[in-house]
Amino acid sequence: MEITLTHYLVVSTIIFSLGLLGVLIRRNFIIVLMAVEMMLNAANLNLVAFSHHLHSLTGQMVALFTIAIAAGEAAVGLAIIVVIFRNKIATNVDQINVLKW
Amino acid sequence: VTALAFYYLAAVTIVSGVLTITLRSPVHCGLALVAMLVHMAGFFVLLNAEFIAAVQVIVYAGAILVLYLFVIMLLNLKSDERVFHKRYIGIGLITIAIIAQAAVLILRSPFGGLTGEATPDVVLGVGQTKAIGIVMFRDYLLPFELIGVYLLAAIVGAIVLAKTPAMAARPPEPPSTGADDGNGASEPAPEPPAETVGAHHGGHGH
């Protein structure tokens, strides 16, 4: 059975949905960031699958840029977690509501 | 063989994704995320994108996950007894149902579009890394440089954020309040918020 573009899109959709569900239901800040990484990875899989399907290298380029942006986002997010943990002992996203109006 | 590899990778990826968002301990979640990312690199190999697969393993599994595990173990996180937002599960499932509906609609549409010139024969003739390097430095040079600037800004931002507050708070005033005075590391006047916080706590205590 031939593996088509649709198979990759189904896997990518499932991973993206899992990441979204993780962002919505987890309370731990670090695991919320991990779920964001999962969503970015699902987008990468989509990009590379379309790049393979359409015979173009542009999708792989955008996937590379997404990986770089995910790296920066992880670094800044974890720095924010360290600062929050140092100021008040909380990694629960419910207790970090200073910016919420 | 390709189909078998695809189904193996899909199964492991989805199971580790489920484990990532359902396990209690953050360390276990991180390890499940490593498994998911490595198998995602396997997908990229199947899609003739070996360079992306190598970058995925090096950057994600090598750098980002080490960063996560460092932070988890540095902060000595305990797993909460209440892990999930119970009231958001319904909203999350409804959202996912909407996404699935949109995905079904998208999957039914035919994928046409303009195909490029980088057919697998061309790419394999040049070499995948060389082909992507040519595209990167010929067509996408400006975005590449912008990504470099972005990464520099992210590094500087992370260092500024995570700097210890004692070094930042020393110039305005002597460190008399103790080591846990970490409020407002980069503020020009870090003492008044700490005082008000302390006053509030004292008021509640009395």
Side-chain angles (χ1 to χ4, degrees):
Chain A
M1 179 179 175
E2 188 67 25
I3 299 299
T4 59
L5 177 63
T6 309
H7 292 77
Y8 288 101
L9 295 191
V10 168
V11 173
S12 168
T13 307
I14 292 172
I15 296 293
F16 185 87
S17 306
L18 283 176
L20 184 64
L21 193 62
V23 169
L24 283 175
I25 70 172
R26 284 311 290 245
R27 291 173 181 267
N28 197 322
F29 200 170
I30 290 183
I31 298 175
V32 169
L33 271 184
M34 287 182 190
V36 172
E37 301 284 340
M38 281 174 63
M39 291 200 285
L40 285 168
N41 246 293
N44 271 346
L45 182 59
N46 240 344
L47 287 168
V48 177
F50 270 104
S51 162
H52 181 68
H53 179 71
L54 293 178
H55 300 311
S56 167
L57 288 177
T58 304
Q60 298 190 19
M61 286 308 305
V62 181
L64 273 181
F65 293 152
T66 310
I67 288 175
I69 286 177
E73 171 256 334
V76 176
L78 288 172
I80 289 173
I81 289 176
V82 168
V83 171
I84 288 174
F85 191 81
R86 187 188 291 140
N87 285 344
K88 53 184 228 179
I89 307 299
T91 52
N92 191 331
V93 290
D94 291 337
Q95 300 167 12
I96 307 166
N97 50 7
V98 179
L99 288 178
K100 193 190 276 184
W101 56 283
Chain B
V1 175
T2 305
L4 199 63
F6 176 83
Y7 286 119
Y8 163 71
L9 290 172
V12 176
T13 305
I14 292 169
V15 168
S16 352
V18 171
L19 286 180
T20 303
I21 66 168
T22 52
L23 284 178
R24 283 185 172 265
S25 164
V27 179
H28 294 169
C29 291
L31 295 180
L33 188 61
V34 170
M36 199 206 84
L37 296 174
V38 169
H39 286 84
M40 194 70 94
F43 276 130
F44 295 156
V45 172
L46 281 186
L47 286 168
N48 286 336
E50 293 88 4
F51 182 68
I52 307 286
V55 168
Q56 167 98 0
V57 170
I58 292 171
V59 174
Y60 268 111
I64 294 183
L65 259 298
V66 168
L67 196 63
Y68 273 105
L69 291 180
F70 259 115
V71 170
I72 289 169
M73 293 176 180
L74 203 64
L75 298 185
N76 191 15
L77 288 178
K78 299 176 295 295
S79 58
D80 299 323
E81 62 271 13
R82 295 184 307 157
V83 181
F84 300 117
H85 288 284
K86 291 288 187 232
R87 58 200 168 99
Y88 285 161
I89 285 181
I91 301 174
L93 290 180
I94 289 171
T95 312
I96 284 171
I98 292 172
I99 288 178
Q101 177 72 25
V104 167
L105 288 180
I106 290 171
L107 291 180
R108 279 184 188 159
S109 69
F111 294 112
L114 226 53
T115 56
E117 71 275 14
T119 58
D121 295 334
V122 173
V123 171
L124 289 180
V126 180
Q128 204 264 337
T129 307
K130 188 176 178 183
I132 203 169
I134 288 171
V135 172
M136 178 189 289
F137 290 110
R138 192 190 59 200
D139 298 337
Y140 293 93
L141 186 57
L142 182 62
F144 176 74
E145 301 288 345
L146 286 179
I147 283 293
V149 174
Y150 165 79
L151 282 178
L152 178 66
I155 291 170
V156 174
I159 291 174
V160 167
L161 276 175
K163 197 164 60 177
T164 57
M167 291 166 56
R170 189 173 300 160
E173 64 167 339
S176 62
T177 56
D180 57 349
D181 170 35
N183 208 345
S186 59
E187 308 253 335
E191 189 50 33
E195 275 184 348
T196 55
V197 168
H200 274 298
H201 277 297
H204 282 300
H206 287 301

